[in-house]
Amino acid sequence: MSDWATIAELTDDRVIYRDLQPCDTGLPGLPALRPILGLPANATPRKRDAAYARVMLALARAAQALRNGPPLTHVVVIGDTENDRLLAMHLQALAEVDAYGFIGVDRPVAPATLDWEGAVATATRWALVHEWAATLTTRGVSWAQTAVLIDIDKTLLGPRGRSDGAIDNARAEAALIVATDLLGDRFDRTVFRQYYTTLCRREWHAITLDNQDYTVAMALFATVDVFDLPAIEVQLAAGLSPTLLELLIAAQQVPVELQALRRQLIEQIEAGNPTPFTQFRRAELVTTAACMADGRLTLSSELFTLGRRLQAQGALLIAASDKPAESALPSPEQQAAGLLPLHRTPALLD
């Protein structure tokens, strides 16, 4: 019989998304932490930033105090990208706690290896997370005084190398839903898919910033010939990189169906919002939940088993994700329709 679980079984509401506003209302959010940590009012740290590590350590300490736990001596990071590695390194650089990291992926065609570089280990199998944790125990890590920061997308949910493709598919499905809603009969699915796929490539990151809000918006405007992607590509090849904001401001002959979206995107980008395309992110939550419900998108059984074991040893488990909250927490309308927060949505353990 297949086992199903939720992220909340490990973390409760100790889940923190891109806006750094914990789902647990008993914990301080970024606005409360800004003056304490001396952070500027006009920027939200991202996971790759040193300031993000300061925020996460403050939140971990607050969460530990909330459950009357002993002072934290260690913070460990489990993830799948360079951003997770940087988080572990920035935590170590703070010199307030000892920090370690585990960066995983399933590469079945490669030998199973666990390679250490400083305080961070990189593994070619998620199953090696158990060996990593055992090594930390031998190094004197007291799990009852340790916060475990676990990434969500392509780590705990849709582990990279296994079911991570379902996360990309959910985003693509959400993009199609929003494009259809906005453009109706003017929408050419084939052209949109082609542009969306193109814009997801690394060579376009100078404009899209590897941000799906930007990618989907650019694909939409290109589909109706507002943006000329071949001409923009020539600019990129010449070392010129217009921003999405510049492209939107300069846009001509915007169809009426996209005029409100253009104004919204300009306003939100100028305000510094990294998640300006809310409609797309709301649709992403719907398609992600559908992928979890039908078993395409799974939770990592290895990380879940480790999490339960560390939980039993007193560790503090926190889900720390750069994922936009709009794609993980339902709007009031979505909640009324029965949609659950992502961390409380059941998924198959695999």
Side-chain angles (χ1 to χ4, degrees):
M1 183 177 178
S2 299
D3 290 329
W4 292 72
T6 67
I7 294 170
E9 289 176 41
L10 293 181
T11 65
D12 294 321
D13 283 333
R14 293 187 299 273
V15 180
I16 301 159
Y17 293 111
R18 181 181 292 177
D19 60 1
L20 298 179
Q21 184 62 47
C23 295
D24 186 338
T25 57
L27 296 175
L30 182 60
L33 291 174
R34 285 188 196 278
I36 298 172
L37 300 177
L39 299 177
N42 59 347
T44 300
R46 300 292 296 273
K47 187 177 277 191
R48 61 180 173 268
D49 300 327
Y52 185 95
R54 296 178 62 207
V55 172
M56 290 309 304
L57 180 56
L59 286 170
R61 283 172 166 163
Q64 184 75 338
L66 196 62
R67 65 175 194 161
N68 297 315
L72 294 175
T73 57
H74 293 80
V75 178
V76 301
V77 178
I78 299 175
D80 69 297
T81 68
E82 180 64 16
N83 287 342
D84 299 298
R85 181 189 301 277
L86 286 171
L87 173 56
M89 292 171 64
H90 290 321
L91 285 165
Q92 186 74 295
L94 291 176
E96 296 183 41
V97 292
D98 286 333
Y100 292 97
F102 175 90
I103 309 300
V105 65
D106 268 350
R107 289 201 181 111
V109 297
T113 58
L114 181 68
D115 296 324
W116 285 87
E117 184 176 346
V120 181
T122 302
T124 57
R125 301 286 192 281
W126 285 107
L128 289 170
V129 73
H130 298 293
E131 179 181 331
W132 168 80
T135 299
L136 296 189
T137 299
T138 63
R139 293 186 181 185
V141 171
S142 169
W143 292 107
Q145 293 181 269
T146 299
V148 183
L149 308 182
I150 310 177
D151 183 42
I152 295 179
D153 278 2
K154 303 190 178 183
T155 297
L156 186 54
L157 180 65
R160 187 175 292 277
R162 191 176 305 168
S163 67
D164 55 312
I167 291 177
D168 298 327
N169 292 339
R171 290 172 180 160
E173 290 169 16
L176 286 169
I177 289 171
V178 171
T180 303
D181 287 346
L182 288 171
L183 293 174
D185 294 339
R186 297 192 59 149
F187 177 53
D188 187 322
R189 294 174 68 91
T190 301
V191 172
F192 178 81
R193 282 181 179 274
Q194 175 188 338
Y195 284 147
Y196 176 75
T197 301
T198 297
L199 289 163
C200 283
R201 293 174 185 158
R202 185 177 297 275
E203 54 264 34
W204 285 90
H205 286 182
I207 298 178
T208 66
L209 307 181
D210 196 20
N211 183 330
Q212 283 291 303
D213 291 67
Y214 287 27
T215 301
V216 174
M218 285 192 68
L220 266 175
F221 284 97
T223 299
V224 293
D225 299 321
V226 174
F227 291 169
D228 185 344
L229 289 196
I232 297 172
E233 192 169 18
V234 170
Q235 289 181 278
L236 285 173
L240 304 173
S241 181
T243 65
L244 175 57
L245 180 60
E246 290 169 342
L247 292 171
L248 288 166
I249 291 173
Q252 302 292 321
Q253 297 181 325
V254 178
V256 65
E257 297 93 337
L258 295 184
Q259 287 177 8
L261 176 63
R262 173 177 175 265
R263 290 192 297 271
Q264 171 190 320
L265 293 172
I266 291 174
E267 177 183 327
Q268 293 300 312
I269 293 172
E270 286 182 333
N273 185 355
T275 313
F277 200 168
T278 307
Q279 302 94 314
F280 161 65
R281 293 300 187 175
R282 295 298 187 196
E284 184 186 354
L285 175 57
V286 174
T287 56
T288 300
C291 286
M292 295 167 75
D294 65 20
R296 283 181 291 165
L297 183 54
T298 60
L299 288 167
S300 166
S301 58
E302 296 93 344
L303 295 184
F304 212 85
T305 299
L306 175 68
R308 280 174 167 156
R309 192 172 80 242
L310 298 183
Q311 197 177 45
Q313 295 179 49
L316 174 73
L317 273 60
I318 299 174
S321 173
D322 214 16
K323 187 180 186 70
E326 293 85 349
S327 64
L329 301 175
S331 66
E333 294 79 12
Q334 288 177 322
Q335 194 171 15
L339 201 61
L340 297 171
L342 186 72
H343 66 288
R344 295 195 174 276
T345 300
L348 188 66
L349 287 171
D350 179 28

